Amino acid sequence: MSVTSEASTTWKGSLTEGSGEVALESSNQGPLPVNWKARSEGSTSVTTPEELIAAAHSSCFSMALSHALAGNGTPPESVETTASVTFIPGTGITGSHLNVNAVVPGLSAEDFQRIAEEAKTGCPVSAALAGIEITLEATLG
């Protein structure tokens, strides 16, 4: 069975002077404001496409890592992941850095690193982002 997820955006005006709103259909979240200034200069109150990609990457990786750890016989107590997606105006999205901290009883740091790297590669969002550099910082708590 396939699942299709949707989000929609309404945009008004030019790239640099205009603005828009993003709505996440399945969760009725939004509208989330979006504009070029936030995308090119950063913002703490307006979302960006890169922030939405970071949300997708961090959640997908957390799920992939949890699944891999359970498959190893060492299910996690918790997995906390932050994805930092970098955008350079005129260049585009250049990378995603995953920073994960997990509590996994009975697992060595070496095995955790190996499983985390495998989860990074196996995460479907990582596969979709194959055109950019994806880095990982994994800490076993």
Side-chain angles (χ1 to χ4, degrees):
M1 176 178 113
S2 68
V3 175
T4 301
S5 299
E6 294 184 355
S8 59
T9 300
T10 302
W11 186 269
K12 295 180 181 175
S14 69
L15 172 63
T16 57
E17 300 300 321
S19 64
E21 293 182 334
V22 176
L24 307 178
E25 301 299 331
S26 65
S27 60
N28 293 322
Q29 294 298 308
L32 303 171
V34 61
N35 63 43
W36 176 253
K37 183 175 180 177
R39 190 173 192 190
S40 61
E41 298 176 19
S43 174
T44 59
S45 61
V46 177
T47 196
T48 65
E50 292 71 30
E51 183 178 42
L52 297 171
I53 290 170
H57 203 190
S58 66
S59 61
C60 182
F61 174 79
S62 291
M63 287 186 240
L65 180 58
S66 178
H67 180 67
L69 289 166
N72 185 62
T74 52
E77 286 183 9
S78 65
V79 174
E80 295 181 18
T81 305
T82 300
S84 303
V85 175
T86 302
F87 173 77
I88 300 172
T91 300
I93 297 171
T94 59
S96 182
H97 178 72
L98 297 167
N99 188 338
V100 61
N101 186 314
V103 176
V104 188
L107 186 66
S108 71
E110 181 180 283
D111 286 340
F112 178 67
Q113 291 296 323
R114 176 185 52 77
I115 293 169
E117 283 291 336
E118 291 169 358
K120 179 186 84 168
T121 304
C123 163
V125 173
S126 291
L129 297 174
I132 64 170
E133 179 181 21
I134 299 172
T135 55
L136 173 66
E137 184 177 342
T139 306
L140 187 57

